Amino acid sequence: MRRTFIPSVMLVALIVAAHARGADDPLPSWNDGPTKKAITDFVAKVTLAGGREFVPVHERIAVFDNDGTLWAEQPMYFQLAFAMYRVKRMAPQHPEWKDKEPFKSILAGDVKTALAGGEKSILELIMATHAGMTTEEFVRDVDEWVSDDLHPKTKRPYVEMVYKPMIELLAYLRANGFKTYIVSGGGVEFMRPWVEKAYGIPPEQVVGSRGKLKFEMRDGKPVLLKEPTIDHVDDGPGKPVGIQQMIGRRPVMAFGNSDGDLQMLQWTTAGGPADSSKSPRFALIVHHTDAEREFAYDRQSHIGKLDKALDEAAAKGWTVVDMRKDWNAVFADK
Amino acid sequence: MRRTFIPSVMLVALIVAAHARGADDPLPSWNDGPTKKAITDFVAKVTLAGGREFVPVHERIAVFDNDGTLWAEQPMYFQLAFAMYRVKRMAPQHPEWKDKEPFKSILAGDVKTALAGGEKSILELIMATHAGMTTEEFVRDVDEWVSDDLHPKTKRPYVEMVYKPMIELLAYLRANGFKTYIVSGGGVEFMRPWVEKAYGIPPEQVVGSRGKLKFEMRDGKPVLLKEPTIDHVDDGPGKPVGIQQMIGRRPVMAFGNSDGDLQMLQWTTAGGPADSSKSPRFALIVHHTDAEREFAYDRQSHIGKLDKALDEAAAKGWTVVDMRKDWNAVFADK
């Protein structure tokens, strides 16, 4: 009896210990090491009741960039893929597009030529597909794309290309009393229809770029029309502006991946005399170093360029995630 | 014994009953009647789990106008009183104001002449006192006014001129899972410093008019400068626009007091196919009918004009508060 009894007890103990470690670790996709420790140490100190750096729950605001921070952004911003998808769906109502760039090349499947016109082409594309409809019609457009279009490389729905470690991080922060916000250069109306399901972030916690809206009565029913005029570009210096406009509090934690997030990270970490909690602030940059499981890019990239912010992170001691080393999973299934 | 015993029991029973009624009534400043019943019936049905008109917690958004709905707005919008207060404080740095309207008349204590220039004068006044400083400096300006200036008629701090029945209503809705928002024509940066204390509404749940902000580095420290350009006027048709920009969900309940709230009430009650809860919606108008305890004004008033919205309330069955009849208290102390 004894010889079988002891191993059974040990086996049970091992299973219990393994289970306990898994259940206790709120960030299982993050490898143990200084990056993970920086996050959990910070959260532990700001939530320690009576601690010197305690931050009350109502001030626990955490802001996340979206493209390249919460979901992938290669080979092009996914919102641009949405716009191209819409061009194809709208083409029957626009026979003139057959002879007009950038529409002509998109319809011919030639993305490179379509985007050769640079910002002007992109703006034309965005305006044609993001304006002229009501906000409710636009939600239906986004919903259709979400459920239908696939990423050109992975052949998966775009909303499945969210980063598993970041989903865990969002849930971990919320479990610790943080209100999690998206602060993205992407369009706010483009993100809201799917971010609640993808990230657990409600529409009212999404800050993004936006076009002008116009209230009008249509057949006795009030609608909001999306107009072809840009109202706010929520990128670079626009991010602290968007945060102030929509949140009105300085965040305690900020997460980004590119130079477009630099001012948000500066604004967050600067604290300030009008804040009741002057100190503890946390800034993190996701560095795309994993060409095998995702994409590898930084200082020279046209999308998600990470240059000045990488230097400033080193100078100021911000936390930098090395995706290849720090994450044992990137997406839900690999 | 028996003759004294019974009355004692009855007395205790009466005291317990009276106490229970007080404790059970979440709206003690509201007289019993159809107005109060309309509010409590609506909240009861949308929070009844399994009910036909149940609204899930995350969709319970309630929006409140501020001036004339949550606090008083006579004899002038309190933000204008703040601007005049600031002119007096800033005058030593602006010797040129001695000869320049509307500043000259404000400094001479002649409000009527100061405002004779109409909208142009008011805009000039707002720009001089609301732009050219950082957001943090402006918070200090507002804090100083809140703690120092007094209402010309009541001689009380402005922040004490909030309506007791509405404070109860805000707390009642929050206790029933509603997220309460301010959606006001007033400036968002003007409201945020004091609304959390006054109403229990955090900065991130304040939608208002706003000026442009500019991010810049000042001595190596990031600041947001308030620029003299209007970015959004959150009044009339601007209210549904502000709601869509900042909340991104259609509210379930909306509360206002003037024609400036009409489009917000229309937008709220129209529901819509993109909403998971198509029906139940609630709209309420606070009608200022109490010249004795507060002010009486509606169709002819220059401030808080209530004309079209009063007609539409009657036509659509919106709830109208008769302040004199429906409220047994207006402010905290009378």
Side-chain angles (χ1 to χ4, degrees):
Chain A
M1 275 294 279
R2 189 145 189 181
R3 278 163 71 189
T4 54
F5 180 67
I6 293 172
S8 293
V9 165
M10 285 177 66
L11 190 65
V12 168
L14 281 170
I15 290 168
V16 168
H19 181 76
R21 196 183 305 131
D24 283 354
D25 186 353
L27 302 172
S29 301
W30 294 71
N31 291 322
D32 289 332
T35 304
K36 181 174 183 170
K37 191 171 183 309
I39 296 168
T40 54
D41 281 358
F42 182 85
V43 171
K45 79 178 179 184
V46 297
T47 57
L48 179 69
R52 200 175 49 85
E53 297 187 89
F54 177 75
V55 175
V57 168
H58 67 276
E59 290 182 18
R60 292 183 200 160
I61 303 282
V63 291
F64 289 80
D65 168 58
N66 184 40
D67 300 299
T69 299
L70 293 180
W71 75 350
E73 61 183 347
Q74 298 280 5
M76 68 173 109
Y77 291 125
F78 293 179
Q79 189 169 355
L80 201 51
F82 162 75
M84 293 186 180
Y85 175 89
R86 285 298 305 153
V87 166
K88 290 172 197 163
R89 305 289 296 187
M90 293 165 75
Q93 283 80 52
H94 293 272
E96 76 279 11
W97 284 354
K98 270 180 234 153
D99 306 307
K100 195 186 172 193
E101 291 293 2
F103 308 101
K104 182 183 166 185
S105 293
I106 289 168
L107 295 173
D110 182 358
V111 173
K112 202 174 168 184
T113 305
L115 300 182
E119 278 191 23
K120 192 180 161 291
S121 296
I122 291 173
L123 194 65
E124 198 162 359
L125 198 51
I126 295 290
M127 288 306 169
T129 53
H130 288 65
M133 72 289 285
T134 69
T135 50
E136 293 182 345
E137 288 163 351
F138 188 71
V139 168
R140 287 196 288 273
D141 292 347
V142 176
D143 283 344
E144 186 192 20
W145 172 77
V146 162
S147 63
D148 189 42
D149 203 14
L150 300 177
H151 188 272
K153 184 179 165 188
T154 64
K155 306 296 178 197
R156 291 190 295 179
Y158 285 93
V159 288
E160 288 182 15
M161 295 193 63
V162 299
Y163 302 133
K164 188 163 180 262
M166 298 305 284
I167 304 295
E168 292 169 3
L169 181 55
L170 286 165
Y172 168 64
L173 292 179
R174 287 193 290 264
N176 280 283
F178 279 86
K179 227 177 196 176
T180 53
Y181 280 82
I182 289 172
V183 178
S184 170
V188 64
E189 303 274 348
F190 168 71
M191 293 184 281
R192 280 177 172 151
W194 54 268
V195 294
E196 189 152 27
K197 201 173 161 193
Y199 304 132
I201 295 179
E204 61 269 30
Q205 286 164 225
V206 182
V207 182
S209 296
R210 52 177 193 262
K212 290 265 184 205
L213 297 175
K214 189 184 170 198
F215 177 90
E216 68 174 46
M217 283 289 177
R218 200 177 258 192
D219 302 328
K221 191 176 175 294
V223 296
L224 290 172
L225 276 180
K226 284 172 63 62
E227 295 197 299
T229 311
I230 287 173
D231 187 42
H232 173 64
V233 177
D234 199 67
D235 193 37
K239 290 202 175 197
V241 170
I243 289 170
Q244 181 65 17
Q245 287 181 336
M246 296 216 17
I247 310 177
R249 288 189 207 272
R250 196 185 297 257
V252 172
M253 303 183 82
F255 303 83
N257 78 298
S258 77
D259 285 358
D261 302 310
L262 178 58
Q263 289 84 353
M264 175 170 81
L265 300 175
Q266 290 172 332
W267 176 247
T268 297
T269 53
D275 293 285
S276 62
S277 59
K278 284 175 198 172
S279 29
R281 308 283 167 175
F282 185 88
L284 180 147
I285 288 173
V286 175
H287 190 187
H288 293 261
T289 53
D290 195 330
E292 196 184 323
R293 293 183 301 176
E294 204 238 5
F295 303 95
Y297 57 99
D298 48 31
R299 296 185 192 272
Q300 306 301 324
S301 179
H302 289 294
I303 294 170
K305 179 176 177 173
L306 175 63
D307 184 35
K308 286 183 190 169
L310 198 55
D311 292 337
E312 194 148 333
K316 293 193 174 169
W318 296 342
T319 299
V320 178
V321 172
D322 182 330
M323 279 176 75
R324 199 172 57 80
K325 287 188 193 165
D326 290 323
W327 290 358
N328 61 55
V330 176
F331 301 114
D333 61 350
K334 67 169 182 178
Chain B
M1 276 292 280
R2 187 142 194 185
R3 278 162 72 189
T4 56
F5 180 68
I6 294 174
S8 294
V9 165
M10 285 177 66
L11 190 65
V12 169
L14 282 169
I15 290 168
V16 169
H19 181 76
R21 196 184 303 132
D24 283 354
D25 186 353
L27 303 172
S29 299
W30 295 71
N31 292 321
D32 290 332
T35 303
K36 181 174 183 171
K37 192 172 183 308
I39 297 168
T40 54
D41 282 358
F42 182 85
V43 170
K45 78 178 180 185
V46 298
T47 57
L48 179 68
R52 198 173 50 85
E53 298 186 90
F54 177 76
V55 174
V57 168
H58 68 274
E59 291 183 17
R60 292 182 201 161
I61 303 284
V63 290
F64 290 80
D65 169 59
N66 184 38
D67 299 301
T69 299
L70 293 180
W71 73 351
E73 61 183 346
Q74 299 281 2
M76 67 173 110
Y77 291 124
F78 294 179
Q79 189 169 356
L80 201 51
F82 162 75
M84 293 186 180
Y85 175 89
R86 285 298 306 153
V87 166
K88 289 172 198 163
R89 305 289 296 188
M90 293 165 74
Q93 283 78 52
H94 293 271
E96 76 279 11
W97 284 354
K98 273 180 228 153
D99 306 307
K100 194 185 173 195
E101 292 292 1
F103 309 99
K104 182 183 168 185
S105 293
I106 289 168
L107 295 172
D110 180 359
V111 174
K112 202 174 167 183
T113 305
L115 299 182
E119 278 191 23
K120 191 179 159 294
S121 296
I122 291 174
L123 194 65
E124 199 162 356
L125 198 51
I126 295 290
M127 288 308 169
T129 52
H130 288 66
M133 70 289 286
T134 69
T135 50
E136 292 182 347
E137 287 163 351
F138 188 70
V139 167
R140 286 196 288 272
D141 293 346
V142 175
D143 284 345
E144 185 192 21
W145 172 78
V146 161
S147 63
D148 188 41
D149 202 15
L150 300 177
H151 188 273
K153 186 181 162 185
T154 66
K155 306 296 178 196
R156 291 191 295 182
Y158 285 94
V159 288
E160 287 182 16
M161 295 193 64
V162 300
Y163 302 133
K164 187 164 180 257
M166 299 304 286
I167 304 295
E168 292 170 3
L169 181 56
L170 287 165
Y172 168 64
L173 292 179
R174 287 193 291 263
N176 280 281
F178 279 86
K179 227 177 196 176
T180 53
Y181 280 82
I182 289 172
V183 178
S184 170
V188 65
E189 303 274 348
F190 168 71
M191 294 184 282
R192 279 175 173 154
W194 54 269
V195 294
E196 189 152 27
K197 201 173 161 192
Y199 305 132
I201 294 179
E204 62 267 32
Q205 286 164 222
V206 182
V207 182
S209 296
R210 52 177 193 260
K212 290 265 184 207
L213 297 175
K214 189 185 170 197
F215 177 91
E216 68 174 46
M217 283 290 176
R218 202 178 257 193
D219 301 328
K221 191 177 175 293
V223 297
L224 290 171
L225 275 181
K226 284 173 62 62
E227 295 197 299
T229 312
I230 288 173
D231 186 44
H232 173 64
V233 178
D234 200 67
D235 193 37
K239 290 204 175 197
V241 170
I243 288 170
Q244 181 65 19
Q245 286 180 337
M246 297 216 13
I247 310 177
R249 288 189 206 272
R250 195 185 296 258
V252 172
M253 303 183 83
F255 303 83
N257 79 299
S258 77
D259 285 359
D261 302 311
L262 178 58
Q263 289 85 353
M264 175 171 80
L265 301 176
Q266 290 171 331
W267 175 248
T268 298
T269 54
D275 293 283
S276 62
S277 59
K278 284 174 196 171
S279 27
R281 306 284 167 174
F282 185 88
L284 180 147
I285 288 173
V286 175
H287 190 186
H288 293 261
T289 53
D290 195 329
E292 197 185 321
R293 294 184 299 178
E294 204 238 4
F295 303 95
Y297 57 98
D298 47 31
R299 296 186 192 271
Q300 306 301 323
S301 179
H302 288 294
I303 294 169
K305 179 177 178 173
L306 175 63
D307 184 36
K308 286 181 190 169
L310 199 55
D311 292 338
E312 194 149 332
K316 293 192 174 168
W318 295 343
T319 299
V320 177
V321 172
D322 181 330
M323 279 176 75
R324 199 171 57 80
K325 288 186 191 166
D326 289 324
W327 289 358
N328 61 55
V330 175
F331 301 114
D333 61 350
K334 65 170 185 177

